[in-house]
């Protein structure tokens, strides 16, 4: 049962007068560096619908960037978080601990790949989780170098900006950045020079060769990679790439870190994207979908690695806040009870079927890719040269927004339209959203 009707409704232009009035207040009070995809001010949201202050109901293909996978007002999340709010909002786990934090860590040990002994530490954001994974890996290995990948995104703190590949808008003008970060090629099948069929083995051999020759495997503390690259364009590394790197890491005493912040918690049709090829990371970072919209993040991994940091070396005042922990337990409850991994696989079947048909019709669509409810189309000016089409991508997104469909763009070249619907979205809304994309393509 959802809190608001699950149907698209436009009663004003998008954005409407109340949103425009709030936007004027926002411009006066909020720093210009904080952007928004669509200046529509939310009043309510649930299921696959976001309702704005003007009464417009938009179909949500964004989920707050893969956060509200269980919906934006999931019953179990609201129930558990409300009960915790009534008891206490905060004590700081580092001062007086509480059961909710421990229980979230227990669930993470159960759900993440591998049957080895695991421990977790909880934080506030994805960037914090990645930063702490690097700290833990350096403490465990007594090494300094960190290897990341072309098109990767890991956050907005100083270290995670250094780990991130894309300059604008994430890094431009914010340096100098943390040292001992090294970037190597990723297996981007659509753009691999010798074709997607050769991409996995060739890209892994190239990456391993660069690590060995330019850095020295004995100097590497961690290899950090998104099993499906998010901001870089929903790039699913070609088959064989992740297992080859995980094996190289294991053979050389390097901590293999899977950044599952965007791809985790049923988003790709499995609890975690790295399960697709049976990759078991040493450490896994999670956030976004973990807590139904409340700020929570985690590093989970092999107990001996997680225990490498000295007592007091990990933590933070708000890390593992009790209300966020309660929300996470509600989110996990919802994912299990409603089989949201299965729902994500169904979303993939519907979306890829429709989008692949559109690719046959429109040369603008160069590639349809992704897994589960993490699907994207890459737009190109020319299918032969694969020249990116960022202007058409922006125009397509704008047309969708005007018609009442919230979509997001991404990609190193700004030419990818990404779809992250809530896993609880109704199939009627899913198809209606795809209808809007088809109509927008016809105009663009």
């Amino acid at each position: 049962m959802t809190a608001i009707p699950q149907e698209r409704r436009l009663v004003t232009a998008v954005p409407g007068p109340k949103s425009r009035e709030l936007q004027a207040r926002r411009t006066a009070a909020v720093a210009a560096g904080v952007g928004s995809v669509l200046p529509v001010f939310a009043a309510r949201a649930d299921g696959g619908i976001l309702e704005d202050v003007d009464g417009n109901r938009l179909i949500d293909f964004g989920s707050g960037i893969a956060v509200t996978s269980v919906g934006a007002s999931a019953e179990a999340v609201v129930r558990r978080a409300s009960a915790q709010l009534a008891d206490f909002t905060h004590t700081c786990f580092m001062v007086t601990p509480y059961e909710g934090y421990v229980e979230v860590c227990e669930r993470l040990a159960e759900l993440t790949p591998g049957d080895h002994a695991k421990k977790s530490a909880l934080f506030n954001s994805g960037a914090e989780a990645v930063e702490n994974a690097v700290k833990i890996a350096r403490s465990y290995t007594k090494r300094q170098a960190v290897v990341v990948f072309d098109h990767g995104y890991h956050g907005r703190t100083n270290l995670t900006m250094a780990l991130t590949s894309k300059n604008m808008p994430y890094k431009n003008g914010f340096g100098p950045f943390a040292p001992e970060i090294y970037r190597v090629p990723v297996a981007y099948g659509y753009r691999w020079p010798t074709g997607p069929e050769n991409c996995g083995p060739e890209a892994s051999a190239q990456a391993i060769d660069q690590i060995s020759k330019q850095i020295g495997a004995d100097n590497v503390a961690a290899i950090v990679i998104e099993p499906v690259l998010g901001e870089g364009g929903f790039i699913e590394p070609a088959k064989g790439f992740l297992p080859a790197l995980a094996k190289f890491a294991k053979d050389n005493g390097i901590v293999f870190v899977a950044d599952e912040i965007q791809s985790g918690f049923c988003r790709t049709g499995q609890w975690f994207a790295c399960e697709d090829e049976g990759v078991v990371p040493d450490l896994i970072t999670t956030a976004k979908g973990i807590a139904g919209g409340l700020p929570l993040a985690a590093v989970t991994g092999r107990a001996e690695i997680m225990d490498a940091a000295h007592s007091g070396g990990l933590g933070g005042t708000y890390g593992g806040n009790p209300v966020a922990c309660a929300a996470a337990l509600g989110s996990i409850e919802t994912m299990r009870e409603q089989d949201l991994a299965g729902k994500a696989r169904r979303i993939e079947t519907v979306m890829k079927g429709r989008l692949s048909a559109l690719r046959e019709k429109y040369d603008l669509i160069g590639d349809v890719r992704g897994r589960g409810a993490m699907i994207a189309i890459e737009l190109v000016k020319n299918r032969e040269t694969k020249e990116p089409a960022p202007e058409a991508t922006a125009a397509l997104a704008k047309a969708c927004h005007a018609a009442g469909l919230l979509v997001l763009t991404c990609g190193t070249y700004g030419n990818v339209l990404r779809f992250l619907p809530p896993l609880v979205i109704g199939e009627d809304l899913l198809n209606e959203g795809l209808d809007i994309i088809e109509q927008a393509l016809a105009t663009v």
Side-chain angles (χ1 to χ4, degrees):
M1 189 68 184
T2 51
I4 52 178
Q6 295 297 290
E7 51 194 44
R8 181 175 64 109
R9 180 180 74 176
L10 295 181
V11 294
T12 73
V14 178
K18 290 181 181 176
S19 277
R20 292 198 299 272
E21 187 181 312
L22 283 165
Q23 179 66 15
R25 288 170 54 191
R26 173 218 167 107
T27 302
V30 179
V34 183
S36 289
V37 171
L38 177 60
V40 159
F41 283 73
R44 299 190 299 167
D46 198 15
I49 290 287
L50 187 151
E51 185 173 295
D52 73 11
V53 290
D54 289 287
N56 297 304
R57 294 193 194 121
L58 282 67
I59 300 173
D60 183 8
F61 273 17
S63 301
I65 317 184
V67 170
T68 54
S69 298
V70 296
S73 335
E75 184 277 331
V77 173
V78 173
R79 168 171 41 84
R80 285 179 179 254
S82 298
Q84 181 57 55
L85 270 169
D87 289 339
F88 60 91
T89 60
H90 178 73
T91 66
C92 184
F93 191 77
M94 298 181 301
V95 178
T96 53
Y98 36 87
E99 186 179 0
Y101 188 116
V102 176
E103 195 174 348
V104 170
C105 294
E106 289 170 341
R107 295 294 84 76
L108 286 165
E110 291 169 13
L111 294 168
T112 51
D115 56 8
H116 49 276
K118 298 173 205 159
K119 292 188 178 184
S120 293
L122 304 183
F123 305 98
N124 301 298
S125 69
E128 269 190 81
V130 173
E131 193 137 338
N132 278 278
V134 170
K135 284 167 58 177
I136 292 162
R138 284 173 167 166
S139 183
Y140 177 73
T141 61
K142 305 295 186 281
R143 304 172 182 176
Q144 292 185 345
V146 178
V147 172
V148 288
F149 295 83
D150 287 340
H151 308 288
Y153 175 85
H154 300 285
R156 294 175 182 265
T157 59
N158 186 267
L159 174 61
T160 56
M161 279 192 294
L163 300 176
T164 291
S165 179
K166 190 175 180 180
N167 176 51
M168 277 296 287
Y170 305 115
K171 303 166 72 168
N172 194 54
F174 296 144
F177 301 113
E180 288 298 310
I181 308 298
Y182 300 88
R183 199 171 314 285
V184 297
V186 76
Y188 191 167
Y190 177 63
R191 293 188 174 274
W192 196 253
T194 59
E197 64 281 356
N198 300 312
C199 183
E202 287 181 6
S204 57
Q206 201 176 113
I208 288 166
D209 185 62
Q210 281 187 219
I211 295 166
S212 303
K213 288 178 179 168
Q214 296 180 21
I215 313 162
D218 291 348
N219 295 316
V220 179
I223 293 173
V224 184
I225 189 167
E226 303 160 273
V228 178
L229 281 72
E231 298 295 317
F234 280 27
I235 300 162
E236 187 180 356
K239 297 297 181 193
F241 184 76
L242 290 173
L245 283 161
K247 183 181 186 303
F248 173 75
K250 186 176 182 181
D251 291 347
N252 289 278
I254 299 166
V255 177
F256 189 79
V257 183
D259 177 346
E260 292 261 13
I261 287 156
Q262 191 162 166
S263 60
F265 286 97
C266 300
R267 176 55 59 181
T268 62
Q270 293 160 297
W271 275 91
F272 297 97
C274 58
E275 295 177 75
D276 182 63
E277 291 186 88
V279 171
V280 178
D282 298 309
L283 300 179
I284 187 165
T285 61
T286 52
K288 289 192 183 290
I290 191 174
L294 274 74
L296 187 70
V299 182
T300 303
R302 297 183 184 278
E304 68 274 17
I305 299 176
M306 290 298 297
D307 282 342
H310 53 273
S311 179
L314 305 177
T317 302
Y318 293 108
N321 169 269
V323 182
C325 285
L329 295 170
S331 191
I332 291 167
E333 176 188 325
T334 305
M335 289 176 185
R336 280 177 156 163
E337 288 185 356
Q338 297 187 23
D339 182 25
L340 293 193
K343 293 269 180 70
R345 292 192 294 274
R346 176 59 189 162
I347 289 168
E348 176 184 347
T349 299
V350 173
M351 294 199 88
K352 275 195 168 174
R354 293 279 307 270
L355 293 168
S356 296
L358 290 177
R359 184 182 181 276
E360 296 301 312
K361 190 174 176 182
Y362 295 102
D363 288 345
L364 184 63
I365 301 176
D367 195 27
V368 176
R369 58 174 178 258
R371 293 207 308 269
M374 191 173 180
I375 304 294
I377 53 175
E378 179 164 355
L379 305 186
V380 292
K381 294 177 182 178
N382 181 304
R383 281 197 181 171
E384 294 301 313
T385 64
K386 299 179 181 176
E387 183 186 350
E391 299 86 359
T393 308
L396 189 58
K398 189 176 180 181
C400 288
H401 295 161
L405 174 66
L406 177 60
V407 295
L408 307 172
T409 60
C410 67
T412 300
Y413 313 110
N415 69 322
V416 177
L417 205 63
R418 57 173 161 171
F419 311 116
L420 293 160
L423 306 183
V424 295
I425 193 169
E427 209 160 302
D428 55 340
L429 282 180
L430 191 64
N431 275 302
E432 189 177 355
L434 288 160
D435 291 341
I436 292 169
I437 292 164
E438 184 166 7
Q439 290 156 13
L441 275 163
T443 62
V444 170

